[in-house]
Amino acid sequence: MHPMAFDSSNTTPNSLEKYENMFVKCVVGFLFLGVLYRFYFFTPFPPVLDSDTDFLRNSTVQGSETSHLPGVYSHARCNIFVGEWVPDSTAPFYTNKTCQSIEEHQNCMENGRPESGYVYWRWTPRDCALPRFDPVKFLRMMRNKSMAFIGDSISRNHVQSLLCILTQVEKPNSIYHDKEYRSRTWYFPLSGFTLSVVWSPFLLKSAIFENKEGVASDIPRLHFDKLDPAWVDRYKEFDYIEIGAGKWFFKTALFYKNDTIVGCHNCPQKNLTKFDFTYAYRKAIQSVLKFITSSEHKAYAFFRTSTPDHFENGEWNTGGYCNRTVPFKEGEVELIDLDLAMRKIELEEFAKAAASDKSSVLRLFDTTHLSLLRPDGHPGPYRRPHPFSGKDKSKKVQLDCLHWCLPGPIDTWNALMMHMLLHE
């Protein structure tokens, strides 16, 4: 017999007991590891953070203007919103052929955009890795939960991006839409996941006289002292929300308080008090964040910062265009004054709200900078099918340098959102 072989016939009772104990310990150890594995990978994600826990209150991020703010996402001292776009040959999750929910205005491939290089870029945070979005894991995390995207057309743009990716692994049922399909709800029956978009471009109560094509018959009426019931009345339905506004506050508008007109922005009426758009925007953000942090219903809330446009040599109605085909590099572009003013308000009001957020439900979804670097990802003239076809070559073509082609840069926002959820 080999000297290292084990002969049970020559083993004493004490030896047998020792080996039996070792065997039991090994089995228990493997079972424990199995339980840990199942818990980590398969436990449904909780809808709300523990009110006694604040993962990010004291975190700091190097090289970011938001590093001092409470409630700013940071994992291993990395701000996932600071980085650069790098070339990536990986194909997008979907195309205009595999996703049926892309609106015409964002369906750049179907509308004849001649090049597709804008889909082959990946956002890379400066000091950490950002994993590719995993739709299977996301739906597992969101089992029997509800998520809503609340705000303007950028919110609708984002929810369509998420919907396009998720429908590659599970088909949802459309269970609600308003008359103009601006607010919608889908239900994923296998996951029990409910996904909504709530159209509320001012976030405050307002009367808007504009059709889906952007043609207005009158100027908006905006109530400083009332939130929009379109989302407030449904707030308790949602476990997660992403909420944000932006460009609508540049519009001419009449302002009300206690149902009485108190002034206006950019209006021709001489007898009304004139307010800068920043006044209305600050009022809206203050009211929204106060409602979220003081509500008894603790929905996990992503506060999305505003998105800059990329019109050059004019605005959308004065001949501005966006014909770049590659992203900007760091330092090649800066926010214009109007966007800087909005960003200042967003960061200031978020800091105040997060500091008083005892339940830690509020997170900054800071997409401004990474969006600023993508002038190539907009529909431009391809918001309509084949805009340069036909006999009339001199016809005026409306351009869109604000929203995003689908697929396109906004798909990355889903990876950012999932990364934040996973690491908290």
Side-chain angles (χ1 to χ4, degrees), residues 104-354:
E104 181 184 72
H105 294 172
Q106 282 81 53
N107 202 338
C108 304
M109 293 180 180
E110 184 71 19
N111 291 343
R113 181 165 172 168
E115 43 77 35
S116 59
Y118 60 94
V119 302
Y120 295 105
W121 294 87
R122 173 171 50 89
W123 176 250
T124 306
R126 183 178 297 168
D127 299 312
C128 60
L130 178 66
R132 187 172 166 86
F133 182 79
D134 185 337
V136 174
K137 183 179 286 188
F138 182 85
L139 285 172
R140 189 164 63 234
M141 288 164 53
M142 293 294 152
R143 183 174 297 278
N144 299 324
K145 302 296 186 294
S146 176
M147 175 178 280
F149 291 73
I150 301 166
D152 53 18
S153 53
I154 296 296
S155 295
R156 194 164 68 246
N157 203 175
H158 187 185
V159 82
Q160 289 169 11
S161 164
L162 178 60
L163 189 67
C164 280
I165 298 175
L166 296 181
T167 54
Q168 305 307 301
V169 297
E170 183 182 345
K171 302 300 181 186
N173 299 321
S174 176
I175 60 175
Y176 167 77
H177 63 80
D178 62 5
K179 184 178 180 181
E180 293 188 324
Y181 287 79
R182 283 175 164 169
S183 293
R184 298 192 63 178
T185 299
W186 300 266
Y187 179 71
F188 292 77
L190 298 179
S191 305
F193 173 50
T194 304
L195 178 63
S196 299
V197 58
V198 182
W199 169 251
S200 182
F202 289 112
L203 303 178
L204 299 173
K205 181 181 178 181
S206 59
I208 299 173
F209 309 92
E210 184 174 302
N211 65 20
K212 204 171 182 180
E213 301 303 318
V215 178
S217 59
D218 203 345
I219 62 177
R221 273 74 165 161
L222 186 60
H223 294 260
F224 281 152
D225 54 344
K226 298 177 183 178
L227 290 170
D228 188 354
W231 68 272
V232 170
D233 290 351
R234 297 184 59 190
Y235 187 70
K236 291 183 179 179
E237 300 175 21
F238 309 131
D239 298 305
Y240 302 89
I241 67 166
E242 183 199 277
I243 190 164
K247 302 296 186 183
W248 275 72
F249 286 85
F250 295 163
K251 292 177 178 285
T252 296
L254 295 175
F255 298 147
Y256 287 76
K257 189 174 181 180
N258 296 323
D259 295 323
T260 302
I261 191 166
V262 294
C264 64
H265 165 60
N266 196 33
C267 62
Q269 290 91 331
K270 295 181 179 180
N271 60 335
L272 293 178
T273 302
K274 303 299 189 292
F275 291 97
D276 186 74
F277 81 91
T278 57
Y279 182 83
Y281 192 54
R282 189 178 294 275
K283 283 286 187 182
I285 300 304
Q286 282 177 346
S287 299
V288 168
L289 297 182
K290 181 179 180 181
F291 174 84
I292 291 171
T293 55
S294 61
S295 174
E296 292 183 1
H297 175 65
K298 301 304 179 185
Y300 187 107
F302 294 96
F303 172 58
R304 174 180 58 79
T305 57
S306 55
T307 303
D309 63 54
H310 290 96
F311 287 100
E312 297 185 55
N313 296 319
E315 297 299 324
W316 67 272
N317 57 346
T318 59
Y321 56 83
C322 48
N323 58 3
R324 295 180 185 267
T325 57
V326 296
F328 285 120
K329 295 184 182 298
E330 189 70 43
E332 289 184 340
V333 63
E334 299 291 340
L335 289 172
I336 63 173
D337 290 344
L338 292 178
D339 291 325
L340 280 172
M342 297 191 80
R343 181 162 180 77
K344 182 175 184 290
I345 292 169
E346 291 161 357
L347 299 187
E348 288 176 353
E349 296 306 322
F350 178 86
K352 295 175 189 175

Side-chain angles (χ1 to χ4, degrees), residues 59-111:
S59 61
T60 58
V61 182
Q62 299 297 323
S64 169
E65 63 181 312
T66 59
S67 62
H68 64 288
L69 297 179
V72 172
Y73 173 77
S74 173
H75 176 62
R77 299 186 66 80
C78 171
N79 186 339
I80 57 174
F81 299 107
V82 175
E84 63 178 340
W85 293 93
V86 299
D88 183 10
S89 60
T90 306
F93 283 101
Y94 62 93
T95 69
N96 60 308
K97 302 299 183 183
T98 62
C99 179
Q100 306 305 312
S101 59
I102 306 174
E103 288 191 2
E104 181 184 72
H105 294 172
Q106 282 81 53
N107 202 338
C108 304
M109 293 180 180
E110 184 71 19
N111 291 343

